[in-house]
Amino acid sequence: MRVVSGGAALAGLAVGIPFGAVAARSELCANSAVRDALFGSDRRVLRVFLVAVGVQLALLPVVIALGVDVAAPHLYVVAGAIGGFAFGVGMALAGGCASGILWRSGTGAGTALLAIAGFGAGELLIRGPLISLRETLDSAGPAPRAATLDDLTGIPYAVLGVAGAVVLAIALRRSGIGVWRVGVAIGVIGVAAWSAAQAVGYGYGLGFVGTAANIDATARSGDASQLTMEPFLALGVVAGAALGGRRRLRFPNWPRALRAAGGGVLMGVAGTI
């Protein structure tokens, strides 16, 4: 039996631990960012995400020029629209995005643990018994293509990236120092994720869809060397949150538990779609 790749484990933990610590301390979650911005008056978390996007727009052209391959997923129009909507519903039910349920589990949230279990189950479900649904949605729209903005417009990515970063910097110039501090940290970690993935031959950055499938395939083969960076990235987020966040065990009532698990299943299905 071959053992776990030390490079994959080190790369995943090196990125996941600081991300989990920063996310937990700043309570960073895409679900709450959108909810608070649309239905409340607090746009702090959304601004943090936008700063992180701006930082990556500015830095990714540099790492690409240095030879890092930033993968561009193919665009499946129908699957993307339906999967995105369903993922949003799943987030609302589970009470967090993919990274949100990971770091919350590290702080002791029982709902997050149930959502993670559901996420894994949903991912295996859509890759197994319900794979025909995924294939149907993939074929429902136009032929897929790598639909990056530079590909669609013919403008070099470096130009688009820097221009986007400048626009966001101007739009967010009045955000507080705390927003900028957390946003820059998340953006730099996101760029580091691409570089770490390149170093170990993983091929993707800061994402968690596919973790359950990789663990399942590894368990079936009995070959631990099949574990990619992704499971260690997820483990690192949990560990980083446990180290950097406020830890307190919290157990949900049955309705909340079922809602979290169901939301996790929907996120796993939709994220894979």
Side-chain angles (χ1 to χ4, degrees):
M1 175 176 170
R2 296 166 66 185
V3 297
V4 174
S5 167
L10 180 61
L13 294 173
V15 174
I17 289 174
F19 179 84
V22 174
R25 290 183 67 86
S26 57
E27 298 186 341
L28 192 68
C29 177
N31 178 56
S32 59
V34 175
R35 182 193 63 222
D36 293 346
L38 290 178
F39 304 111
S41 58
D42 185 3
R43 295 178 174 82
R44 182 189 66 85
V45 180
L46 181 60
R47 288 174 179 270
V48 167
F49 273 109
L50 292 175
V51 169
V53 169
V55 169
Q56 291 177 87
L57 284 171
L59 295 183
L60 280 175
V62 177
V63 298
I64 290 172
L66 294 174
V68 173
D69 181 21
V70 176
H74 291 284
L75 176 61
Y76 294 86
V77 177
V78 175
I82 292 175
F85 177 80
F87 195 90
V89 174
M91 284 198 302
L93 292 173
C97 60
S99 59
I101 60 178
L102 285 169
W103 72 253
R104 283 193 171 97
S105 71
T107 64
T111 51
L113 288 170
L114 292 169
I116 291 171
F119 194 109
E123 184 180 305
L124 296 178
L125 189 65
I126 195 64
R127 293 174 185 267
L130 296 182
I131 193 170
S132 60
L133 171 61
R134 180 184 175 189
E135 293 170 345
T136 299
L137 291 174
D138 285 350
S139 60
R145 58 178 297 181
T148 59
L149 287 177
D150 56 315
D151 177 46
L152 293 172
T153 64
I155 302 173
Y157 174 69
V159 175
L160 290 172
V162 172
V166 170
V167 169
L168 284 173
I170 293 172
L172 298 167
R173 66 188 184 279
R174 295 182 180 177
S175 300
I177 186 65
V179 167
W180 279 94
R181 182 173 62 249
V182 177
V184 169
I186 294 296
V188 169
I189 293 170
V191 173
W194 287 108
S195 302
Q198 172 89 353
V200 297
Y202 171 51
Y204 201 71
L206 199 59
F208 305 98
V209 174
T211 302
N214 180 230
I215 294 173
D216 179 63
T218 300
R220 291 176 183 273
S221 69
D223 182 3
S225 67
Q226 289 190 21
L227 286 173
T228 65
M229 167 182 159
E230 200 170 29
F232 298 102
L233 178 63
L235 180 62
V237 174
V238 176
L243 293 171
R246 293 187 290 271
R247 298 177 299 279
R248 182 173 63 85
L249 287 175
R250 306 179 299 284
F251 299 100
N253 56 33
W254 279 110
R256 182 70 188 94
L258 292 173
R259 192 162 68 246
V265 171
L266 188 55
M267 289 167 66
V269 169
T272 306
I273 289 175

